[in-house]
Amino acid sequence: MENSIQDLKISAEKTPSLGGRGASISVFAPATVANVVCGFDVLGFAVNEPGDEVVMRITNKPGITISKITGDNGRLPLDPAKNTVSVSVQHYLQSVGRTDIGLDIELHKKMPIGSGLGSSSASTVAGLFAIKTLLGDDADPARLLPFAMKGEEMACGHGHADNVAPALLGGFVLIRSYDPLDVVRLPHPAGLYCAIVFPDVDVPTREARQIIRNKILMKDAVTQWGNIAGLVSGLFMQDIDLIGRSMKDILVEPVRSMLIPDFYQMREIAMNLGAVSFGISGSGPSVFAFTRDEETAKLITKKLQQHLTGIQIGSNTYVSTINDKGPRVL
Ligand code: HSE
């Protein structure tokens, strides 16, 4: 991690600031599905929608302000010392020696908070990509990861990277190691669709992490790492059947599924409709299914939404392919 920050510093110093005063940029960063069922804290992928937008403007006065947040129902702090976007951007500015800059940030939440879709990650990554672009820093976006992880730590008490890494890099990502940070981009079969349903119940990641067991049995570990290796092999081999049969989680899902209304009923519906796999997205309550085509993904979201309506729970649905691009300037 030390090396990453050092390299970033050199790169930013080499490239002159594009940002005259008043320069501004608008960036979108995508939602992500972390864990991918069996890979707790080590696997994640980005989707095309939903996602968040950050508008960043260079100002005259050194320091960061947040002038506006929309779409959060007043839940997120405007105080730059408490907001994950400004805090991670501040860490970045410190590392590149540019705390002389003044910045104003607008955050437009286009996705639900506490959904298990990497909401805080999408905001943080949009902010970091915006400042990197404003400064003309052409370093590999992966260099921004340590700063994005600081944002995660602030949002939920733990700096996991399985949302921020795919949001930043796009595609399917493996966190091979946290110390030292080692992130691997994985291939994936073309034409894999993701059906996402967000049941309108609140599951804060901080709390969903606290209920997980800290110790596991060796026989369970064997099952789990067999499945993770099977999933990664399936991605490389473009073997969708292998991907499907590997996406099983005996460690986390049995506990977290209790926080999700009718989780097992929803799984049965999705699998009966032809899903390749079904599970919790990140820490929930969103659930997702992989499918081989868009029609099946749409049908699954429709039927799951109908099921949730039947038990008086509202929901949002999304159908997407895997997003290989990550953040983009709007
Ligand atoms: N790996 C994290 C968790 C992702 O499951 O807690 C949170 O979205």
Side-chain angles (χ1 to χ4, degrees), residues 34-35 40-41 116-118 160 162-163 205 209 212 256 281-283:
N35 301 336
F40 178 71
D41 276 0
L117 293 171
H160 52 272
D162 50 343
N163 289 114
T205 298
R209 294 186 75 86
I212 296 170
R256 283 187 172 168
S281 172
S283 56

Side-chain angles (χ1 to χ4, degrees), residues 17-319:
S17 165
L18 287 183
R21 281 172 191 148
S24 82
I25 193 169
S26 187
V27 169
F28 167 91
T32 43
V33 172
N35 301 336
V36 201
V37 181
C38 51
F40 178 71
D41 276 0
V42 300
L43 287 172
F45 63 86
V47 291
N48 296 319
E49 59 140 8
D52 282 346
E53 286 172 28
V54 161
V55 180
M56 189 176 280
R57 193 166 50 85
I58 297 206
T59 62
N60 294 327
K61 202 168 146 216
I64 304 178
T65 54
I66 302 176
S67 57
K68 193 192 268 188
I69 303 180
T70 63
D72 68 327
N73 288 326
R75 287 174 67 179
L76 299 178
L78 284 160
D79 179 349
K82 296 187 177 148
N83 188 291
T84 58
V85 180
S86 38
V87 167
S88 52
V89 167
Q90 181 65 24
H91 278 293
Y92 168 84
L93 289 176
Q94 271 158 5
S95 90
V96 297
R98 292 304 310 268
T99 45
D100 58 308
I101 290 179
L103 288 178
D104 181 65
I105 294 172
E106 284 179 26
L107 170 59
H108 300 289
K109 295 294 301 175
K110 308 271 176 162
M111 58 187 290
I113 297 169
S115 55
L117 293 171
S119 177
S120 57
S121 305
S123 305
T124 302
V125 165
L128 285 168
F129 199 77
I131 185 62
K132 171 189 185 321
T133 310
L134 273 178
L135 288 183
D137 174 0
D138 57 4
D140 184 336
R143 302 285 186 229
L144 298 177
L145 257 184
F147 309 109
M149 289 165 68
K150 291 255 182 230
E152 287 298 76
E153 198 175 335
M154 192 173 167
C156 73
H158 187 267
H160 52 272
D162 50 343
N163 289 114
V164 283
L168 192 56
L169 307 177
F172 227 111
V173 177
L174 165 70
I175 322 302
R176 204 275 312 159
S177 158
Y178 275 88
D179 187 15
L181 191 60
D182 185 0
V183 173
V184 183
R185 290 175 172 97
L186 300 175
H188 58 86
L192 200 57
Y193 277 82
C194 180
I196 295 175
V197 177
F198 163 54
D200 191 9
V201 294
D202 212 17
V203 177
T205 298
R206 190 183 292 268
E207 285 157 39
R209 294 186 75 86
Q210 280 164 359
I211 62 171
I212 296 170
R213 283 174 297 159
N214 272 326
K215 292 193 174 148
I216 59 171
L217 295 173
M218 179 60 88
K219 74 173 177 52
D220 289 345
V222 170
T223 303
Q224 197 83 5
W225 62 53
N227 279 327
I228 296 171
L231 171 53
V232 172
S233 304
L235 291 170
F236 271 92
M237 293 158 70
Q238 313 227 351
D239 182 337
I240 293 181
D241 288 331
L242 177 57
I243 290 171
R245 65 178 188 274
S246 303
M247 285 174 64
K248 304 218 167 70
D249 172 21
I250 60 166
L251 300 181
V252 179
E253 182 182 283
V255 183
R256 283 187 172 168
S257 57
M258 291 188 282
L259 304 176
I260 300 172
D262 280 2
F263 174 79
Y264 290 104
Q265 289 91 327
M266 287 199 284
R267 173 150 81 190
E268 199 178 338
I269 293 168
M271 296 311 286
N272 285 341
L273 289 170
V276 170
S277 57
F278 179 87
I280 303 172
S281 172
S283 56
S286 291
V287 292
F288 78 104
F290 274 146
T291 68
R292 292 169 192 270
D293 58 71
E294 189 174 14
E295 291 67 39
T296 309
K298 284 185 172 162
L299 184 63
I300 287 172
T301 55
K302 186 174 154 201
K303 295 288 180 189
L304 293 184
Q305 185 159 52
Q306 281 171 358
H307 180 84
L308 289 168
T309 305
I311 54 169
Q312 275 82 51
I313 291 178
S315 57
N316 292 55
T317 66
Y318 310 94
V319 169

